PDB file of all heavy atoms in Angstrom:
ATOM      1  N   LYS A 884      23.138 -24.850  32.709  1.00  0.00           N
ATOM      2  CA  LYS A 884      23.973 -25.838  33.352  1.00  0.00           C
ATOM      3  C   LYS A 884      23.228 -27.176  33.395  1.00  0.00           C
ATOM      4  O   LYS A 884      22.035 -27.249  33.297  1.00  0.00           O
ATOM      5  CB  LYS A 884      24.452 -25.371  34.754  1.00  0.00           C
ATOM      6  CG  LYS A 884      23.287 -24.915  35.585  1.00  0.00           C
ATOM      7  CD  LYS A 884      23.679 -24.448  36.921  1.00  0.00           C
ATOM      8  CE  LYS A 884      22.567 -23.839  37.828  1.00  0.00           C
ATOM      9  NZ  LYS A 884      23.058 -23.417  39.167  1.00  0.00           N
ATOM     10  N   SER A 887      20.416 -31.310  38.544  1.00  0.00           N
ATOM     11  CA  SER A 887      20.006 -32.565  39.200  1.00  0.00           C
ATOM     12  C   SER A 887      18.485 -32.549  39.337  1.00  0.00           C
ATOM     13  O   SER A 887      17.872 -31.541  39.163  1.00  0.00           O
ATOM     14  CB  SER A 887      20.747 -32.643  40.560  1.00  0.00           C
ATOM     15  OG  SER A 887      20.228 -31.725  41.366  1.00  0.00           O
ATOM     16  N   ASP A 889      16.970 -32.605  42.128  1.00  0.00           N
ATOM     17  CA  ASP A 889      16.701 -31.670  43.269  1.00  0.00           C
ATOM     18  C   ASP A 889      16.675 -30.264  42.806  1.00  0.00           C
ATOM     19  O   ASP A 889      15.728 -29.498  43.191  1.00  0.00           O
ATOM     20  CB  ASP A 889      17.852 -31.744  44.366  1.00  0.00           C
ATOM     21  CG  ASP A 889      17.834 -33.084  45.145  1.00  0.00           C
ATOM     22  OD1 ASP A 889      16.673 -33.680  45.103  1.00  0.00           O
ATOM     23  OD2 ASP A 889      18.851 -33.480  45.749  1.00  0.00           O
ATOM     24  N   ILE A 890      17.542 -29.843  41.935  1.00  0.00           N
ATOM     25  CA  ILE A 890      17.460 -28.401  41.478  1.00  0.00           C
ATOM     26  C   ILE A 890      16.301 -28.313  40.555  1.00  0.00           C
ATOM     27  O   ILE A 890      15.543 -27.294  40.518  1.00  0.00           O
ATOM     28  CB  ILE A 890      18.765 -28.136  40.615  1.00  0.00           C
ATOM     29  CG1 ILE A 890      19.952 -28.236  41.596  1.00  0.00           C
ATOM     30  CG2 ILE A 890      18.643 -26.823  39.951  1.00  0.00           C
ATOM     31  CD1 ILE A 890      21.338 -28.081  40.798  1.00  0.00           C
ATOM     32  N   PHE A 891      15.996 -29.453  39.753  1.00  0.00           N
ATOM     33  CA  PHE A 891      14.803 -29.455  38.911  1.00  0.00           C
ATOM     34  C   PHE A 891      13.578 -29.155  39.718  1.00  0.00           C
ATOM     35  O   PHE A 891      12.721 -28.367  39.357  1.00  0.00           O
ATOM     36  CB  PHE A 891      14.805 -30.719  38.107  1.00  0.00           C
ATOM     37  CG  PHE A 891      13.770 -30.762  37.094  1.00  0.00           C
ATOM     38  CD1 PHE A 891      13.923 -30.198  35.789  1.00  0.00           C
ATOM     39  CD2 PHE A 891      12.586 -31.433  37.308  1.00  0.00           C
ATOM     40  CE1 PHE A 891      12.971 -30.240  34.844  1.00  0.00           C
ATOM     41  CE2 PHE A 891      11.518 -31.494  36.351  1.00  0.00           C
ATOM     42  CZ  PHE A 891      11.826 -30.854  35.094  1.00  0.00           C
ATOM     43  N   ALA A 893      13.340 -27.822  42.722  1.00  0.00           N
ATOM     44  CA  ALA A 893      13.386 -26.493  43.361  1.00  0.00           C
ATOM     45  C   ALA A 893      12.949 -25.369  42.440  1.00  0.00           C
ATOM     46  O   ALA A 893      12.242 -24.415  42.865  1.00  0.00           O
ATOM     47  CB  ALA A 893      14.836 -26.234  43.820  1.00  0.00           C
ATOM     48  N   LYS A1010      12.150 -24.672  48.579  1.00  0.00           N
ATOM     49  CA  LYS A1010      13.631 -25.011  48.621  1.00  0.00           C
ATOM     50  C   LYS A1010      14.457 -23.981  48.034  1.00  0.00           C
ATOM     51  O   LYS A1010      14.046 -23.266  47.090  1.00  0.00           O
ATOM     52  CB  LYS A1010      13.804 -26.306  47.747  1.00  0.00           C
ATOM     53  CG  LYS A1010      13.040 -27.546  48.326  1.00  0.00           C
ATOM     54  CD  LYS A1010      13.318 -28.738  47.402  1.00  0.00           C
ATOM     55  CE  LYS A1010      12.508 -29.992  47.986  1.00  0.00           C
ATOM     56  NZ  LYS A1010      12.847 -31.148  47.115  1.00  0.00           N
ATOM     57  N   SER A1011      15.646 -23.961  48.426  1.00  0.00           N
ATOM     58  CA  SER A1011      16.566 -23.001  47.855  1.00  0.00           C
ATOM     59  C   SER A1011      17.542 -23.749  46.922  1.00  0.00           C
ATOM     60  O   SER A1011      17.869 -24.867  47.241  1.00  0.00           O
ATOM     61  CB  SER A1011      17.400 -22.258  49.103  1.00  0.00           C
ATOM     62  OG  SER A1011      17.981 -23.152  49.788  1.00  0.00           O
ATOM     63  N   LEU A1012      18.078 -23.034  46.011  1.00  0.00           N
ATOM     64  CA  LEU A1012      18.986 -23.687  45.018  1.00  0.00           C
ATOM     65  C   LEU A1012      20.295 -23.919  45.784  1.00  0.00           C
ATOM     66  O   LEU A1012      20.842 -23.013  46.560  1.00  0.00           O
ATOM     67  CB  LEU A1012      19.228 -22.812  43.839  1.00  0.00           C
ATOM     68  CG  LEU A1012      17.999 -22.623  42.924  1.00  0.00           C
ATOM     69  CD1 LEU A1012      18.330 -21.695  41.781  1.00  0.00           C
ATOM     70  CD2 LEU A1012      17.446 -23.906  42.446  1.00  0.00           C
ATOM     71  N   PRO A1013      20.966 -25.141  45.551  1.00  0.00           N
ATOM     72  CA  PRO A1013      22.284 -25.367  46.082  1.00  0.00           C
ATOM     73  C   PRO A1013      23.315 -24.396  45.607  1.00  0.00           C
ATOM     74  O   PRO A1013      23.228 -23.911  44.418  1.00  0.00           O
ATOM     75  CB  PRO A1013      22.602 -26.780  45.546  1.00  0.00           C
ATOM     76  CG  PRO A1013      21.217 -27.290  45.238  1.00  0.00           C
ATOM     77  CD  PRO A1013      20.453 -26.264  44.836  1.00  0.00           C
ATOM     78  N   GLU A1014      24.175 -24.081  46.400  1.00  0.00           N
ATOM     79  CA  GLU A1014      25.340 -23.228  46.079  1.00  0.00           C
ATOM     80  C   GLU A1014      26.261 -23.849  44.931  1.00  0.00           C
ATOM     81  O   GLU A1014      26.465 -25.015  45.015  1.00  0.00           O
ATOM     82  CB  GLU A1014      26.242 -22.850  47.188  1.00  0.00           C
ATOM     83  CG  GLU A1014      25.381 -22.126  48.285  1.00  0.00           C
ATOM     84  CD  GLU A1014      25.071 -20.654  47.801  1.00  0.00           C
ATOM     85  OE1 GLU A1014      25.644 -20.056  46.947  1.00  0.00           O
ATOM     86  OE2 GLU A1014      24.059 -20.168  48.379  1.00  0.00           O
TER      87      GLU A1014
END
Side-chain angles (χ1 to χ4, degrees):
K884 54 183 174 179
S887 67
D889 289 338
I890 298 176
F891 187 79
K1010 297 182 181 179
S1011 58
L1012 296 178
E1014 296 293 334

